[in-house]
Structures are given as structure tokens and as C-alpha cells.
Amino acid sequence: MSRLEILATGALATIQDEGRPGLAGLGVGVSGAADLRSLRLANRLLGNESGDAAIEVTFGGLALRARTDVDIALTGAPTPATVDGVPVGLNSPVHVPAGGEVRLSPPSRGVRTYLAVRGGIDVQADLGSRATDIMSGIGPAVLTPGTVLGVGSRALEWPGVDVAAVRTPIGDDLDLRVVPGPRHEWFVDDALEKLCSAPYEVSAESNRVGMRLTGPVLERSREEELPSEGVVRGSLQVPPTGQPTLFLSDHPVTGGYPVIGVVLSADVDLAAQARPGQQLRLRLTEVGQP
Amino acid sequence: MRLLPCGDVGLLVELADLDEVLAMYAELDQARPEGVVDMVPAARTLLLTLEPAVTTPAAVAEVVRGVTPRPGARPDAGEIEVPVTYDGPDLGEVASLTGMSEREVITAHTEEEWTVAFCGFAPGFGYMTRSDERLAVPRRTDPRTKVPPGSVALAGGFSSVYPRESPGGWQLIGRTDVVPWDLDRDPPALFSPGVRVRFVEAR
């Protein structure tokens, strides 16, 4: 079996797949890659199943050694990457010979880079998934130097793609589509307009659970407590500060603050690449509209 | 019943009360609409999350509108007895908040059974409710940074058992040896929606 030895991890590196849907009734969130689109692309480039497990690298800094010949692909935040010191590109399958070292520098834009390997990362699945849920503590441990990861041997035909053309609007101001949330009526009449009136800045208090946003204050029209209720990925939940939190993959299953809007699922992938200090613009749309 | 879409991935079904929520949950658990991947019952709502590549909130809403929750229909989730040693650090506080003696608090907690409405906060943390609201106390103003696993707690009309050491703001009235969450158990959560819970005083 092929193996990868982790030499360095940077700020945070975890194993992620498409998560564990179906268990929210037990208090277990879906988790999975913060930027699902990038995870799936990395897998497709290698002929993997789209939900195979890969490494989610936060702000670069990952280094690993291949103990046997492997094929990898990097997607997501554009990190300068090398194999044995030779620069390699993103969004493309890359061969790594036995003993070869892969190193990822901090990305110039974006936050999360995905390193997939042909055959998929093979670690023990918990509740049907290899995703690390940092909030519930379920799934494989956060990667540390010295960890040795198995690589699966099952893969499909090579897709015959040398490089995928990817539009990565993750450097500049992000434009995210949002629809009115289930509790938008709990806010004053012009609150949804206000949500979309000026950009929000991504605060440093951001992780796989969610991103705190700083910008126009959203005022409530109802002051009573909302009984806790289920929330979805992409929800903009508004605590008493009036500043929304955008829920990402490891969000709590239920929340007790009203959700004023929900970012469409495809755009949550983009949001997951926003860096602290970066600006997000929310654009009101309707479900099903581009 | 009100249907509130949550983006392209969810539909929040707002119902009259917990009985209706559990009845609707039971019906939809029998015949899950296509593309619905998760159901989260809560005190007054049932969240259906869906796979946007397969279905839409509008299509799921159409199915939900055709379902009539039957009164009393609940998921048959069984009954669990939870032995509790009532020596929690907030037992006295709960007594003074409710105007009862500590003994009366213990009696009130054990008298009528509780039903797990939903799970949240942490895996295995079940929000238990019942009609008797004498023990509906507020959260602590100063949440603890470390609540020991197995702590039996009260807040906002709910009771629960902390599955693992975590921060927490609920009032701690006792402790139990039952394990709310065990990955080697199937299902891993002891307190799943619809489970009836009877607290008994440990001797």
C-alpha cells in the first residue's frame, strides 16, 4: 500500500471528504471539505470518486514525503508548490516518485488548498466519513508531523486531463449570492437591503465552523428568544451584536439566533476561501436564479 | 404549518409544538422525500436539508404539504432509565430559582418522563422536554468553561446530560454514569429524537 509521511502541517491540515450527511438528528453535523468544489476537482483530475478523502491545507505550510510512487493533484487556494524542489502547477495531476518531497508555501490568495492523491487518502472512517469535524471532535485527528497516511488503490480510469481551467475569483472582493433566510422577518424592514448595501469584512475569528463578518449592523424587530432550530451550511446567523456569522462545514447542527439570509451552496465554497481582512459583498437573489 | 426555505439546501418546517414536530418527523422518516439527506427536529421546527443537485426546496415543500402529521405519531425510539446522583453544584441555585427545596427539585425532575426533542450542541447532547415546566430555569449568567461528562443539567425548560467535557451554561443538578455518546455503539447517540427518558435517583 502506498503511504504518505507528513513532515510539516502549517497552521492546520486535516483529512476531508464530502462529510457525513444523515446524522444531524443525532447532533452530528455534515462536516467535510470547506470548499467542496475544489475537493471534487482534485479527485476528478486523478480519476478518484469525487468524494474520496484528501488533505485540506490551511494557509499552506504542508510538507510530505511519498514512500512509494504516487500521483497527486492540488486545487483551491493557489499555493506555490514544489516536488523535490521543482515547482509544480495547480489543477493538474502531478507524479511524485518514491521518496519525493512535496512542499506547499503559503498561498498568495485564498485560504484552503486541497491535496488529493490517486486512490484517495485511506484512513479509518468514522460514521461513514473520513472528515475531521473540528467542532464535534469526530473523524481523524488533525494532522501532525510524523503522521503516516495510507493511500487507497481503487481508482477509475484516468480522465485524460492535463490541467483544468479554473476560474478562481478568490483574490479580490467576493460577490456571494444570498437568499432571504427563514427568520428574515425577525429583523427590521430594511435589514435585508442593509445586508447587501455595503461589503462585510471577514474577521480573524474565522475557522471551519464559521466566519464572523464585520459590516452593516442588522437590527432586529423582535426581541424574544428564538427556540433553537436546525441551521444549514451557508446560514447568516445574527447574534445580538447585529454582525452576522456565516456558517461553514463544521457549523453547529442547531442554532439559537435568527438566520437573516442563506448563501447559496456553490457560493459557500467561494466564501470558504476568503481570508481575514478580505471583503465580501452579498447580493440578494432568488433560489434557482444565477 | 409554515414552510421557510433555507437557501438552495434546506426547508424549515415550522409546526405548532413538539408533538407535531415529532409526528411530522415520524411521517417523513417513513417516506423520505427524494433528495432529502438530513432531518433535524427541534422544539417547534423540523429542518430538512437536501442535495441541491437532486431536488429543490420548492419540490420538497410540495411533498411536505401533502403530509398530515397524525397526533400522537412519534418515532418509536424506546425508553431509557437514567440513574442520577443528585449532588450537582447548582442544585441549591435551581431550588432558589424555582422556590422549591432541593428535595422537591429532585422529586420534580424524576416525577414525569422527559422526551428527547432534538440533539445539538455536541454529538449525543439531547434536548429533553416535557409538559411540566416547574424546572424551567434560566442558564447560568456565568457559563462554566469545563462541565464534567455525565453532568445532568437544566436550562430553559430542557434537561440534558453532557456527553463529554465541554464548556456549558446549564444548571448542573447531578451526575450519571450513562454514556450519551459512544462511537462503538450503533447508533452512537443514546438520546436520539423521540427517546423517552426517565431519571431515577441513584441509591
Side-chain angles (χ1 to χ4, degrees), chain A residues 21-28 30 126-127 135-138 179 182-183 185 227-233 253-254 262 264-265 287, chain B residues 2 4-9 12 14 37-40 42 44-45 47 49 52 118-120 123-124 164 181 183 187-189 192-193:
Chain A
L23 301 164
L26 302 181
V28 179
V30 176
D126 282 335
L127 302 173
M135 203 181 70
S136 70
I138 295 174
V179 295
R183 299 297 173 194
E185 290 164 359
S228 291
E229 60 191 19
V231 287
V232 298
R233 178 176 178 260
V253 169
T254 58
V262 181
L264 295 188
S265 55
V287 177
Chain B
R2 274 210 313 163
L4 309 165
C6 304
D8 56 346
V9 294
L12 193 68
E14 193 177 65
V37 293
D38 246 323
M39 300 202 290
V40 186
R44 287 213 300 262
T45 57
L47 174 68
T49 60
F118 58 100
C119 293
R164 57 175 190 160
W181 179 259
L183 264 183
S192 57

Side-chain angles (χ1 to χ4, degrees), chain A residues 111-151:
Chain A
V111 177
R112 297 177 170 96
T113 304
Y114 293 85
L115 186 154
V117 54
R118 182 163 160 88
I121 300 286
D122 187 13
V123 295
Q124 186 195 308
D126 282 335
L127 302 173
S129 162
R130 297 177 170 87
T132 298
D133 183 335
I134 62 164
M135 203 181 70
S136 70
I138 295 174
V142 167
L143 295 181
T144 52
T147 305
V148 177
L149 300 170
V151 176

Side-chain angles (χ1 to χ4, degrees), chain A residues 20 77 99 105 115 132 171 174 197 219 225 227 232 251 267 286-287:
Chain A
R20 42 184 75 80
S105 298
L115 186 154
T132 298
L174 284 176
S197 65
E219 212 178 309
E225 289 244 312
V232 298
H251 70 84
D267 291 6
E286 285 172 32
V287 177

